[in-house]
Amino acid sequence: MLSRTADNLYWIARYMERAETLARLLEVGARMSLLPTAQGFRNEWESILNATGQIGAFQKKYDSFAQRNIESFLFFDRDNPSSIASCITAARENGRIVRTALTGQVWDALNTAFQELRQIERTPRSQLELSRLTDWTTKHTAMLRGAIDATLLRNDGYDFLNLGFALERADATARIIDVKYYVLLPRAGVIGAGAENDQWSMLLRALNLNRAFHWAYGGELTAQKIAHFLILNPACPRALMTCGQEIDTALTHLAKLYGRETEAQHLAQGLLQGLNASSPEAIFDEGLHDFLTRFIREIAALAGAVHDSYLSGDM
């Protein structure tokens, strides 16, 4: 496969997963804004921007952390290359370029999302509820993944798509957990009662993981349980461990297909070994925020190695 084709497929997945992440972060912010303000950031919306790593770009254009401004920046703003509108548009453009590498159902999923986005952008903001926008986004990203899983040949193109999804989701999960890291930092036992406990429940609900968490752990929310579920539990579809395993699987397939291992494989194996050797206690000893920051850096280094190994020249 030509590296430019692999690059287009990889970025289709990354952009669509990024759009879903932003939708879920917006839902987290909306849910938490209904609860009493916790100690930490000035408000929950500012913590959402901190998690995305885009607070500097936001402040250059907007003068307050009002919900409407953040909705505009993260969903509609075409000047923000990581807004939902920008991500869906970029994913569709990448799909158009490699149209012959996609099945009709995969292309339809991308193109339908783009066409409906254009209709949404023409709709007056007063008629658009945030919950409608986030539900619309997660529905279309799920449709794309379903089309990929149901119709694409299990070849290197499929591996590059899955690699893009897993890398982006790993980064995203770490950032979503980091939204409320300051709640967990004071202690590794029971999360603060009342509003703080409700905030973590809201976060799990926004990720559609609330029921899964209670199936797996039951009882009260604790810092160790949350950390284990979202970081180390391979049964959780968004866990860092699950993402690491999916990254390793995709890269292993590519190494066998192309007959060579690369720095990307070595970094992925090291990432997975580090997660396997970790525990909630070790994470809190290091500091949850410090652990997540280090993990995000490792994912960025791995993504760079993927680019250098597969996406920057003909394979």
Side-chain angles (χ1 to χ4, degrees):
M1 175 177 287
L2 293 175
S3 62
R4 60 178 176 270
T5 302
D7 186 66
N8 290 131
L9 293 170
Y10 170 82
W11 279 103
I12 287 171
R14 291 209 66 163
Y15 280 128
M16 291 303 285
E17 184 69 27
R18 190 171 300 175
E20 178 179 341
T21 296
L22 289 171
R24 295 195 182 282
L25 281 169
L26 283 168
E27 187 172 353
V28 169
R31 287 175 180 270
M32 288 184 176
S33 68
L34 300 176
L35 298 171
T37 302
Q39 297 298 319
F41 293 108
R42 283 171 289 176
N43 60 53
E44 302 299 348
W45 288 108
E46 186 178 352
S47 71
I48 296 299
L49 280 175
N50 272 281
T52 67
Q54 300 181 59
I55 194 166
F58 174 87
Q59 289 179 311
K60 290 179 181 178
K61 189 168 184 178
Y62 300 91
D63 58 5
S64 73
F65 295 108
Q67 177 173 341
R68 183 179 177 85
N69 289 343
I70 293 174
E71 288 178 15
S72 296
F73 182 69
L74 294 182
F75 193 98
F76 295 100
D77 198 334
R78 294 288 186 163
D79 293 332
N80 175 11
S82 291
S83 71
I84 290 173
S86 295
C87 286
I88 290 175
T89 301
R92 191 259 191 183
E93 178 60 17
N94 276 279
R96 185 192 63 78
I97 293 170
V98 291
R99 174 69 183 82
T100 56
L102 305 176
T103 63
Q105 192 170 340
V106 173
W107 168 247
D108 286 346
L110 281 170
N111 195 46
T112 298
F114 174 72
Q115 298 300 336
E116 290 186 12
L117 172 65
R118 296 177 68 183
Q119 294 176 8
I120 289 172
E121 289 179 312
R122 291 192 291 266
T123 303
R125 285 289 302 278
S126 60
Q127 299 177 22
L128 296 173
E129 295 181 359
L130 180 59
S131 60
R132 173 189 165 190
L133 296 174
T134 57
D135 287 348
W136 175 86
T137 305
T138 56
K139 179 188 76 173
H140 279 286
T141 56
M143 287 175 61
L144 175 66
R145 292 201 70 154
I148 289 169
D149 286 340
T151 65
L152 271 189
L153 193 67
R154 268 45 175 177
N155 57 10
D156 47 354
Y158 181 80
D159 288 326
F160 281 116
L161 283 163
N162 280 331
L163 184 57
F165 279 125
L167 275 167
E168 188 68 30
R169 179 167 285 196
D171 178 86
T173 298
R175 293 182 184 278
I176 289 171
I177 300 170
D178 211 24
V179 170
K180 295 300 294 176
Y181 85 89
Y182 56 90
V183 176
L184 294 175
L185 279 176
R187 52 180 170 165
V190 177
I191 298 171
E196 303 292 8
N197 211 11
D198 290 340
Q199 286 173 331
W200 277 104
S201 179
M202 289 288 191
L203 187 146
L204 289 172
R205 288 180 186 277
L207 294 174
N208 285 329
L209 292 173
N210 191 57
R211 183 172 296 181
F213 176 86
H214 287 289
W215 281 340
Y217 300 91
E220 64 185 348
L221 296 173
T222 68
Q224 281 98 339
K225 288 179 182 179
I226 291 285
H228 187 267
F229 185 58
L230 292 177
I231 297 174
L232 300 175
N233 190 339
C236 173
R238 295 196 69 95
L240 304 188
M241 178 71 77
T242 306
C243 296
Q245 291 173 343
E246 291 174 352
I247 292 166
D248 184 61
T249 297
L251 288 171
T252 298
H253 287 169
L254 291 171
K256 290 180 180 178
L257 181 63
Y258 297 134
R260 62 184 177 91
E261 287 199 354
T262 68
E263 179 64 15
Q265 274 85 38
H266 300 151
L267 289 177
Q269 290 162 7
L271 183 78
L272 200 52
Q273 288 169 3
L275 289 171
N276 279 317
S278 193
S279 67
E281 292 77 16
I283 290 169
F284 283 104
D285 284 343
E286 179 179 351
L288 181 61
H289 178 62
D290 292 337
F291 171 87
L292 294 171
T293 300
R294 176 170 59 81
F295 181 85
I296 290 169
R297 286 199 302 265
E298 290 175 357
I299 285 293
L302 177 52
V306 168
H307 177 270
D308 293 342
S309 300
Y310 294 110
L311 310 179
S312 59
D314 288 353
M315 293 175 286

